[in-house]
Structures are given as C-alpha cells and as structure tokens.
Amino acid sequence: MGLEAFRAEIPGADKLKIASKVTLKDKGDSFTIKQKAPSGELLINLNWDQHPQGEKKTGLFSKLMGGKSGGAVDLDLGCLFELQNQTKGAIQPLGKSFGSFDYPPYVLHLGDDRSGAWSEGENMKVNLAQIRQIKRILVFTYIYEGVPNWTATNAVVTVKVPGQPVLEVPMGSQMDSRNFCAIAMIEFDGGEIKVTKLVSFHQGHPDCDKTYGWGLKWVAGSKD
C-alpha cells in the first residue's frame, strides 16, 4: 500500500499526535474519515501546474496546447454523483452544471478556472449536513482544450473535512493520450466517508460512466 500520513506534534503534549495530511499514493489506496459533526462542508480541490518548471512557450507547454504558443491547458474538475434515492447526475463546468449546496444533489461546483491561473485551482463542496442523502461521488478531471499531457499538469486533488486530516490524491507522472481521468471515489455510509484513489483514464464521459456503472445518457456540450 502506498498510504502516507504526515503528523504534526503539539509542543508540550508528547503523547498527542494529530495527522495533518494523508496521501493516497497508489491506485486502490483508501482512507476512511469518521465525521465528527453533522454540519459544515467537505471541500474537493483540484490544482495543477500551469507553467511546469523550466518550460518555455515553444517547448513542452506549447506541445501541451497542441503547439499554441503561450496558451494554458484548460483542466476541469467535475464529478458523477449518486444519491441514496438512486438519483444520479454529473456536476461540471461543461454545460454549466454547477449543482446546489442546499438542495439535491447537495454538491456545488464553485467556478471554472479556464487557465489554471487561480492559485486555489477549482473547487467543489459537499453539504455535510446532508451526507446521509448521498451514496457516492466519483471525482474526475478532463482536459477541455489542448493535447493531453498529464505529466505536465502535475495535478493533485485534495479532500478536506473540518477537524480531519487533509486527504491528498496526486495523479503522479502519467502518460496517457486520453483526455479524461477518474481520480477518486468518495463513498458515504452513515457518518463515514471513504475516499479511494482510482486514477483511471477514459475516452470521455460515456466511457467513464460505463466503467463505473452510472447509467447516464450523454450528449455533446460546451462551456460557451
């Protein structure tokens, strides 16, 4: 297993240690969060490197954008969701399907970063007061524009729950020509939240849907 936990010691409390971050290193690694309070939000963040170290406009970064000098990869965060009542759907910038925090599906996308320039990346939040209504969430990312080059993006997804260690799911150095990646599965069972690393690549949304048995109908969409 490639699970790593980093702990920060509190001065003057030698026997008390609190995990500050848990990294899911390998496919299939998982970690279960036991929710302490039925309120607040679970934050899912996607961040990536807009300008890989040492890259020039005419080099690797240009190739990432299909030869467009000075462009920026448009990497998007989204998810498939399934509620306990079997309602299913997708949340993503494509098609402006941003969801809702206070109403079903209790998952909200906070905005599209079309360049990777925002230091905080892209975020979705889940209403922890309603997690007993949610069965599972599949977190994915896809390259909306540009030639797929996952190694250059250096993408990392983090999952944060108040009072719990931050879960980090790095994509790692991936070489794949497909533009869609299922990064993690989040499963809800009462007050427990289980996060499992997937990092599987697909030929778009329908292929991912078929792999994980969501059963949605898909049509072509656009952000414009």
Side-chain angles (χ1 to χ4, degrees):
M1 297 290 287
L3 191 68
E4 286 187 352
F6 297 86
R7 298 179 179 272
E9 294 190 11
I10 300 176
D14 295 336
K15 296 182 179 180
L16 180 60
K17 293 184 178 181
I18 300 174
S20 58
K21 184 177 74 171
V22 174
T23 300
L24 304 182
K25 294 178 61 180
D26 301 322
K27 291 182 180 181
D29 284 354
S30 63
F31 185 85
T32 299
I33 299 170
K34 293 186 178 181
Q35 186 190 9
K36 294 182 178 179
S39 62
E41 62 186 43
L42 179 154
L43 183 66
I44 302 168
N45 171 265
L46 169 69
N47 218 327
W48 65 97
D49 188 359
Q50 186 186 10
H51 297 289
Q53 185 175 3
E55 189 171 272
K56 298 179 180 179
K57 291 183 179 180
T58 56
L60 180 60
F61 197 56
S62 177
K63 293 179 181 178
L64 182 66
M65 287 305 300
K68 296 179 181 179
S69 178
V73 66
D74 188 4
L75 193 61
D76 283 344
L77 172 68
C79 74
L80 301 178
F81 67 83
E82 180 179 5
L83 303 184
Q84 293 292 351
N85 65 6
Q86 299 184 339
T87 298
K88 299 178 182 179
I91 294 173
Q92 59 182 354
L94 189 63
K96 295 182 173 60
S97 300
F98 291 108
S100 174
F101 186 77
D102 296 314
Y103 303 96
Y106 308 112
V107 183
L108 177 66
H109 197 296
L110 299 182
D112 179 21
D113 180 5
R114 302 196 69 167
S115 67
W118 296 354
S119 60
E120 67 272 21
E122 289 193 10
N123 297 279
M124 296 186 296
K125 62 180 183 179
V126 180
N127 190 338
L128 289 177
Q130 301 293 338
I131 64 167
R132 293 182 184 275
Q133 309 300 322
I134 307 171
K135 182 177 181 179
R136 58 177 180 159
I137 293 173
L138 188 155
V139 181
F140 62 75
T141 184
Y142 56 95
I143 297 177
Y144 182 70
E145 292 178 344
V147 177
N149 188 325
W150 297 102
T151 300
T153 66
N154 195 29
V156 177
V157 163
T158 55
V159 178
K160 299 179 182 179
V161 173
Q164 300 290 335
V166 175
L167 291 187
E168 182 181 75
V169 186
M171 287 189 63
S173 181
Q174 304 288 342
M175 299 296 294
D176 200 287
S177 61
R178 290 167 289 186
N179 69 345
F180 190 105
C181 180
I183 297 182
M185 183 76 76
I186 305 177
E187 298 169 284
F188 302 86
D189 183 9
E192 294 190 347
I193 305 168
K194 181 180 180 182
V195 181
T196 303
K197 182 171 182 175
L198 302 177
V199 187
S200 60
F201 293 89
H202 306 274
Q203 296 286 1
H205 297 70
D207 183 34
C208 178
D209 180 308
K210 182 178 179 180
T211 299
Y212 293 99
W214 237 264
L216 300 177
K217 294 182 179 180
W218 296 91
V219 296
S222 172
K223 295 184 183 183
D224 301 321

